[in-house]
């Protein structure tokens, strides 16, 4: 299981995004949080910013759509340059159709679960996905405390993936830091989003590598 680190630009300086993107060039993905002030009580950025970001970096963009009606909006993020697009299970009307559309456009398809959403009802549609995102905070803001109550769901998701022989990536997002990344890796996560931990560090690039080593050590 390869460990991947995706710094979240939510904690970057929005007036100097290209500079902050350049500071984490060793990351596997750049995690971009789209919020619409309806699905979550916060508003961030949309298609034009994603399009511009894709032009200033070789690191692939991992879009996390915290929006209503992703069935309508998600495909456009592939056209805007995303390599992976994750929609929320709670917001999608037709998740299977949407995942197929994202894949047919050439992106990886991800589905996210809020802390109170169980994974079991989605067991049958996991083969339609490339990534499952287990949120470890309530989505909407960076810098929140990691919710340990999500660890059993990470374990349950890992068991389901293994039981079906699926090679989906299992992503965690929210409160991931040097202190918590090991717990997530031990529970079975392999893609780690970190916003405040990376961008509040003196050296974001070296924080990416430290998170990677901590996760790898715990996953062994
Ligand atoms: C929160 C976002 C996260 C956020 C994580 O809803 O989805 O990607 O940036 O920030 P930290 O790592 O600071 O919890
Ligand atoms: Zn996110």
């Amino acid at each position: 299981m390869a460990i991947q680190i995706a710094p979240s630009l939510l904690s970057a300086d929005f007036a100097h995004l290209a500079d902050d993107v350049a500071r984490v060039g060793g990351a596997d993905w750049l995690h971009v949080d789209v919020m619409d002030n309806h699905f979550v009580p916060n508003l961030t950025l949309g298609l034009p910013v994603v399009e511009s970001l894709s032009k200033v970096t070789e690191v692939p963009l991992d879009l996390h759509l915290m929006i209503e009606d992703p069935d309508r909006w998600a495909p456009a993020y592939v056209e805007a340059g995303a390599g992976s697009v994750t929609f929320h299970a709670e917001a999608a009307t037709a998740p299977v159709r949407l995942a197929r559309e994202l894949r047919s456009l050439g992106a990886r398809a991800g589905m996210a679960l809020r802390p109170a959403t169980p994974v079991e009802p989605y067991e049958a549609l996991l083969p339609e996905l490339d990534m499952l995102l287990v949120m470890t905070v309530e989505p909407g803001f960076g810098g929140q405390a990691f919710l340990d109550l999500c660890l059993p769901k990470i374990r349950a998701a890992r068991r389901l993936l293994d039981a079906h022989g699926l090679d989906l990536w299992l992503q965690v997002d929210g409160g991931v830091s040097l202190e918590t990344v090991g717990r997530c890796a031990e529970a079975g996560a392999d893609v780690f989003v970190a916003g405040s931990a990376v961008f509040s560090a003196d050296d974001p690039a070296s924080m990416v590598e430290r998170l990677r080593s901590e996760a790898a050590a715990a996953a062994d």
Side-chain angles (χ1 to χ4, degrees), residues 8 31 33 64 66 133 135 173 193:
S8 165
H31 183 85
D33 293 293
H64 177 193
M66 285 158 277
L133 165 53
M135 288 302 299
D173 180 10
V193 176

Side-chain angles (χ1 to χ4, degrees), residues 33-56:
D33 293 293
V34 177
M35 305 185 189
D36 66 354
N37 210 17
H38 290 275
F39 182 71
V40 290
N42 198 3
L43 187 65
T44 54
L45 51 84
L47 289 165
V49 177
V50 172
E51 231 174 277
S52 297
L53 279 172
S54 72
K55 291 180 190 142
V56 298

Side-chain angles (χ1 to χ4, degrees), residues 31-120:
H31 183 85
V32 183
D33 293 293
V34 177
M35 305 185 189
D36 66 354
N37 210 17
H38 290 275
F39 182 71
V40 290
N42 198 3
L43 187 65
T44 54
L45 51 84
L47 289 165
V49 177
V50 172
E51 231 174 277
S52 297
L53 279 172
S54 72
K55 291 180 190 142
V56 298
T57 180
E58 296 296 308
V59 181
L61 302 182
D62 168 37
L63 268 286
H64 177 193
L65 303 182
M66 285 158 277
I67 60 172
E68 287 180 357
D69 205 3
D71 303 69
R72 175 175 174 192
W73 297 108
Y77 284 90
V78 184
E79 317 282 2
S84 174
V85 178
T86 297
F87 57 86
H88 266 266
E90 305 85 354
T93 305
V96 173
R97 187 173 63 209
L98 179 54
R100 288 183 181 182
E101 189 177 352
L102 293 170
R103 282 174 152 183
S104 76
L105 292 169
R108 294 179 62 86
M111 191 178 74
L113 306 174
R114 299 181 79 129
T117 307
V119 63
E120 288 79 6

